[in-house]
């Protein structure tokens, strides 16, 4: 009886949390963005982005995590202003953290369709924010309302990408970079949880499998029974570009198995696994997993909330910036 009561309460809390999320993100967030910004000037904008993401995803599932990462990488550099979309030498797109991002063609496709009916109205930055949300939706995650009204930035420099968290960084370093953008520890764990979809190249984690920190052995935080599988996928001195799922067993499903894998020592990136070994972040992983004795968190709901928060980092609105004609070039 107690177990049934506990689960009923949890379900009720989840429903309330979803309703609260739907209410609080419809408010103007103090940055000049609001839900439904294009409702009168380009009412089909959001549906065009959603159908474009879905269409591309059906032929290439890798665009979903690609678009989600792209939005994250955009927001952490110069704010959420579409600066990552600019082509050319020395732009953000060319920086090492961004060279393997995917999905630019989806943004270009959606922009072309929108420009045909609403020229000069919808920013590339907003298209990217909407596409990130729709990437979660097509991978069976919960949806959320995206505040729009961003304008596109006028600067894109590869040198500025040092603001991005790195795959070897400590939790303290990650927390510092998130805090600099107004994001707290829960936001950190939640947003990194986006790694529940997508892959990483062997070159970004194979050093953990062999001579980790010159010890002659693997990273001790890796589950010993998982190590042979990773070594088979990424042999020593093998192909560093080979892709491996960041969430083993659930690469295309937006769910909590990513956090289960961290608990089991099956995190792929060093920075990801540290979310379990550091007490300040471990508690949020546990709350997403519903560990008894801790107040639970619903991952899908909290992800939407943190994405809204992130998507308003240093946004340009009003007369600041521009509305690009094409997303890959300044006007």
């Amino acid at each position: 009886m107690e177990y049934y009561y506990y689960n009923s309460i949890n379900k009720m809390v989840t429903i309330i949390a979803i309703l609260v999320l739907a209410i609080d993100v419809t408010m103007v967030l103090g940055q000049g963005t609001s839900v439904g910004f294009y409702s009168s000037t380009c009412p089909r904008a959001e549906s065009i982005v959603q159908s474009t993401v879905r269409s591309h995803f059906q032929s290439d599932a890798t665009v979903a995590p690609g678009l989600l990462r792209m939005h994250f990488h955009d927001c952490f550099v110069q704010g959420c202003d579409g600066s990552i979309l600019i082509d050319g030498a020395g732009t953000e797109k060319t920086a090492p953290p961004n060279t393997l991002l995917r999905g630019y063609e989806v943004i270009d496709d959606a922009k072309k369709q929108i420009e045909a009916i609403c020229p000069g109205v919808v920013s590339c930055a907003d298209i990217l924010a909407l596409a990130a949300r729709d990437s979660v939706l097509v991978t069976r995650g919960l949806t959320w309302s995206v505040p729009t009204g961003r304008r596109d930035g006028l600067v894109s420099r590869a040198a500025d990408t040092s603001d991005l968290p790195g795959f070897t960084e400590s939790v303290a370093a990650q927390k510092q970079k998130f805090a600099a953008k107004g994001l707290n520890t829960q936001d950190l764990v939640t947003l990194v949880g986006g790694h529940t979809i997508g892959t990483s190249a062997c070159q970004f984690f194979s050093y953990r499998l062999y001579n980790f920190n010159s010890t002659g052995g693997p990273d001790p935080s890796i589950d010993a029974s998982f190590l042979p599988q990773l070594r088979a996928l990424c042999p020593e001195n093998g192909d560093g570009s080979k892709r491996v799922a960041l969430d083993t067993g659930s690469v295309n499903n937006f769910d909590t198995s990513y956090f289960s894998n961290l608990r089991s020592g099956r995190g792929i990136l060093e920075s990801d696994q540290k979310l379990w070994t550091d007490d300040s972040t471990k508690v949020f992983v546990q709350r997403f997993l519903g560990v008894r004795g801790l107040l639970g968190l619903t991952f899908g709901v909290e992800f939407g909330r943190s994405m809204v928060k992130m998507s308003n980092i240093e946004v340009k609105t009003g007369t600041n910036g521009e509305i690009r004609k094409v997303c890959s070039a300044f006007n």
Side-chain angles (χ1 to χ4, degrees), residues 19-39:
L19 291 173
V20 169
L21 177 65
I23 293 168
D24 70 14
V25 300
T26 60
M27 300 170 62
V28 176
L29 300 177
Q31 293 275 8
T33 60
S34 60
V35 172
F37 184 83
Y38 299 111
S39 59

Side-chain angles (χ1 to χ4, degrees), residues 272-286:
D272 285 10
Q273 189 58 51
K274 284 174 178 175
L275 298 181
W276 179 255
T277 57
D278 186 286
D279 288 341
S280 68
T281 48
K282 179 179 180 177
V283 65
F284 292 107
V285 176
Q286 291 175 315

Side-chain angles (χ1 to χ4, degrees), residues 124-146:
C124 298
D126 276 343
I127 291 173
L128 181 51
L130 291 165
R133 184 270 310 275
D134 296 334
S135 294
V136 173
L137 188 59
V138 297
T139 50
R140 304 176 189 173
L142 294 181
T143 189
W144 63 91
S145 298
V146 177

Side-chain angles (χ1 to χ4, degrees), residues 94-123:
T94 68
N98 296 331
T99 53
L100 296 179
L101 288 177
R102 307 175 65 90
Y104 293 105
E105 70 281 4
V106 183
I107 304 301
D108 292 338
D109 186 0
K111 176 65 170 176
K112 185 176 180 180
Q113 294 179 60
I114 291 171
E115 283 295 301
I117 59 171
C118 310
V121 173
V122 182
S123 69

